[in-house]
């Protein structure tokens, strides 16, 4: 049997830009990608804390240390600059793996810098 668990999460990041004409779906600062364990082109779920909108898209890399959380193309219509979002990637595990697995949770401050709490 396989179960699906949260693999990684960036919690309450601020959307820094929206661009209907940019290639890609969500641009995430390289520092945050690495901390959350996200891969380029990986499917992620986005939960907009402000509006309750939930949608899926794929990851592209933004400049390391930039604090960028950018929604692009169709995703740009689903949130506004300044909205707080939760970005989550999921993975499938067998029962033994699932019991031992610990997800990566990245908390950020107002500038999307990694915060200890």
């Amino acid at each position: 049997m396989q179960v699906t668990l949260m693999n990684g999460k960036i919690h309450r990041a601020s959307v820094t830009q929206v661009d209907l004409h940019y290639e890609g779906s969500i641009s995430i600062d390289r520092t945050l990608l690495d901390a959350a364990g996200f891969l380029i082109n990986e499917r992620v779920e986005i939960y907009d804390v402000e509006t309750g909108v939930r949608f899926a898209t794929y990851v592209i890399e933004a400049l390391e240390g930039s604090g960028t959380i950018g929604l692009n193309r169709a995703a740009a219509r689903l949130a506004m600059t300044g909205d707080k979002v939760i970005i989550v990637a999921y993975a499938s595990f067998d029962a033994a793996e699932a019991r031992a697995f610990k997800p990566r949770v990245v908390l950020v401050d107002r500038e999307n810098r990694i915060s200890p709490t």
Side-chain angles (χ1 to χ4, degrees):
M1 174 177 70
Q2 294 282 305
V3 303
T4 302
L5 303 177
M6 179 181 71
N7 190 40
K9 170 173 83 164
I10 301 171
H11 189 71
R12 293 183 59 88
S14 298
V15 175
T16 59
Q17 61 191 39
V18 293
D19 189 341
L20 286 170
H21 305 291
Y22 188 79
E23 188 65 30
S25 286
I26 186 167
S27 307
I28 302 175
D29 176 329
R30 176 75 206 160
T31 304
L32 299 176
L33 289 178
D34 291 342
F38 294 169
L39 302 174
I40 303 303
N41 297 315
E42 182 172 9
R43 178 191 169 122
V44 290
E45 301 284 329
I46 314 292
Y47 310 128
D48 189 319
V49 174
E50 314 301 329
T51 66
V53 170
R54 301 163 72 97
F55 59 96
T57 191
Y58 65 93
V59 171
I60 62 174
E61 180 178 352
L63 183 64
E64 184 173 10
S66 66
T68 299
I69 300 292
L71 295 173
N72 307 305
R73 293 284 180 171
R77 295 199 181 272
L78 300 173
M80 294 179 10
T81 301
D83 281 4
K84 295 288 187 188
V85 293
I86 300 168
I87 308 162
V88 181
Y90 295 92
S92 294
F93 300 89
D94 66 33
E97 289 173 316
R99 283 187 197 88
F101 180 74
K102 300 289 184 224
R104 294 183 186 192
V105 176
V106 180
L107 305 176
V108 296
D109 64 16
R110 291 181 188 171
E111 287 79 41
N112 294 332
R113 310 281 183 236
I114 297 173
S115 174
T117 57

